[in-house]
Amino acid sequence: MQAEIITIGDEILIGQILDSNSKWIAEELNKIGVSVYQITSIQDSKEHILRALNEAQLNSDIVILTGGLGPTKDDITKLTLAEYFNDELILNEEIVANIKEMFAKLNYPFSVINRDQALVPSKCIPLKNNWGTAPGMWFRAKNKVIISLPGVPNEMKGLMQDSVLPKLIETFKLPFIIHKTIITYGMGESMVAERLETWEDNLPNFIKLAYLPAYGKLRLRLTAKGIEKKLLETSIRLEVEKLFKIIPEIIVGFDDTETIEVAINKLLKEKKQTLAVAESCTGGAISKMLTAIPGASGYFVGGIVAYQASLKISELNVAKELIERFSVVSAEVADAMAIGIQQKYKSDYAIATTGNAGPTTDLTDTTVGTVFIAIATPTKVFSKEYFFGKPREKVIERASNKALELLRKEILKN
């Protein structure tokens, strides 16, 4: 069963807002066994809506439109749908009553323009909107379903949850779709693919693997699709067990909720140990990642963004002579920063970063993308040099992820 999502609105196409509706709808459809074939964003024009509908019906069983259902003249979706189905708009008294009741509770006046929101094509099944004035609309054409929803996110979500998703489950015999995402750090996509080649070639034909790379990490998403839920769950579990035998050293956790930050949070709390951070080129990004996890105060003492050399000297006790001899972008300074923050905050572990994130070389003339990361443990301190390339955002994100990866490995050793 395939669906297409069509978002209507010039505000999306000019970048004024992000299309968060499509993301949410796609996730919810996937949960009930509907695969999204395509997502399309189009202008608020009759020509574009009609063309998009014609194309979507050729490829998909379900078409969901959002947007263009407001009370103003630029909202033309309803009129266009009436034309598409060779239909006319009629006043639905149930929708009129619903809008009146809503306005009465809010002590708002009820006007002609509000009544016009209850005009819907006669061939549609109106979907009651408890969060706004524009009703949803459900059309059945042969074996296809076309659904029109408001673009306002909370109205769209309410209609999807209360009406659309239950009605789709009732209308179609849907398969199960099960995803399992494994989070890995410390190995590039091509190298991981090489390690997994034989395993991937022998996956059951109802399980697909997707590589989802990001700066410094790689997600492996297994997707199983079929009508026997228990078989899918068992098969996915067995394949994950095989993965743990092939690449155990780089697997951190599962799904987007088990990131490396979460893993460090759990490890340090279990060991009742603490962490402090001294950041230069990462500018607080590591601290932000760590403190985004609830309960970080149980192990994270704090951090300092020591961007200038003077602050490295005054706040982290880095010797001026060390900076003059090796420059601020060096293993020696990274080590000194890690020791300095560890001693200052009396933490068990410490991270320090120093480098040149770009876009231009600094006074040290260090190549853009060069970063030194130091880790201080209860018994030692060490640093490693990396080259993360360009642009600046990539350097910061990769350096932050690599620092946490190095820290996790050290925690696991002790």
Side-chain angles (χ1 to χ4, degrees), residues 71-82:
T72 54
K73 291 182 179 180
D74 63 330
D75 293 305
I76 61 168
T77 301
K78 190 163 50 178
L79 287 167
T80 305
L81 283 167

Side-chain angles (χ1 to χ4, degrees), residues 85 87 97 119 217-218 236 242 246 279 302 362:
F85 287 103
D87 199 2
L119 287 167
K217 66 179 178 180
L218 173 67
I236 285 279
K242 293 176 186 177
I246 303 170
E279 299 185 65
D362 54 19

Side-chain angles (χ1 to χ4, degrees), residues 114-187:
N114 301 130
R115 177 181 288 273
D116 286 348
Q117 284 286 74
L119 287 167
V120 294
S122 66
K123 295 178 181 178
C124 82
I125 298 173
L127 305 176
K128 183 181 177 182
N129 184 351
N130 293 316
W131 299 267
T133 58
M137 293 173 284
W138 175 289
F139 298 88
R140 191 75 188 261
K142 297 181 181 179
N143 295 321
K144 310 281 184 174
V145 167
I146 296 176
I147 302 154
S148 180
L149 300 172
V152 180
N154 70 308
E155 295 183 33
M156 176 275 294
K157 290 178 182 180
L159 280 160
M160 281 288 293
Q161 290 169 332
D162 287 355
S163 300
V164 175
L165 295 172
K167 198 167 177 61
L168 287 174
I169 293 169
E170 180 185 318
T171 303
F172 297 103
K173 183 175 177 59
L174 299 172
F176 293 100
I177 301 176
I178 297 175
H179 299 290
K180 190 68 174 180
T181 304
I182 297 91
I183 313 295
T184 74
Y185 284 78
M187 190 178 292

Side-chain angles (χ1 to χ4, degrees), residues 229-394:
K229 186 178 182 181
K230 189 173 181 180
L231 171 64
L232 301 180
E233 291 174 337
T234 300
S235 300
I236 285 279
R237 177 177 54 79
L238 291 174
E239 296 306 326
V240 170
E241 288 175 2
K242 293 176 186 177
L243 271 180
F244 267 90
K245 294 178 181 178
I246 303 170
I247 51 170
E249 74 279 11
I250 64 170
I251 295 177
V252 170
F254 299 98
D255 304 312
D256 290 334
T257 58
E258 295 191 46
T259 59
I260 198 163
E261 306 96 278
V262 173
I264 288 171
N265 188 311
K266 291 177 181 178
L267 283 170
L268 288 176
K269 283 183 178 179
E270 287 171 3
K271 293 175 178 288
K272 294 182 170 55
Q273 292 178 314
T274 56
L275 170 68
V277 176
E279 299 185 65
S280 184
C281 62
T282 49
I286 297 173
S287 297
K288 182 180 179 182
M289 291 170 70
L290 295 171
T291 55
I293 308 301
S297 59
Y299 75 94
F300 185 63
V301 181
I304 290 177
V305 178
Y307 217 61
Q308 294 190 347
S310 59
L311 205 62
K312 294 178 175 68
I313 295 168
S314 63
E315 297 299 321
L316 299 174
N317 204 29
V318 177
K320 183 180 179 181
E321 295 75 20
L322 198 68
I323 293 174
E324 290 174 347
R325 181 179 177 186
F326 296 104
S327 91
V328 289
V329 182
S330 62
E332 291 78 8
V333 169
D335 287 346
M337 289 171 64
I339 293 171
I341 196 71
Q342 184 185 41
Q343 292 176 345
K344 187 180 185 72
Y345 288 163
K346 298 180 174 58
S347 62
D348 297 293
Y349 290 89
I351 295 172
T353 62
T354 182
N356 184 359
T360 60
T361 57
D362 54 19
L363 295 175
T364 66
D365 202 30
T366 305
T367 303
V368 171
T370 301
V371 176
F372 288 88
I373 300 171
I375 305 293
T377 76
T379 58
K380 65 179 181 181
V381 63
F382 70 93
S383 58
K384 291 191 175 185
E385 180 181 4
Y386 297 95
F387 178 70
F388 294 131
K390 297 178 181 179
R392 182 180 182 82
E393 294 77 14
K394 174 184 177 182

Side-chain angles (χ1 to χ4, degrees), residues 10-25:
D10 295 340
E11 64 274 17
I12 296 171
L13 298 174
I14 64 174
Q16 192 171 26
I17 65 168
L18 294 174
D19 178 19
S20 59
N21 280 0
S22 292
K23 177 181 183 298
W24 189 88
I25 294 171

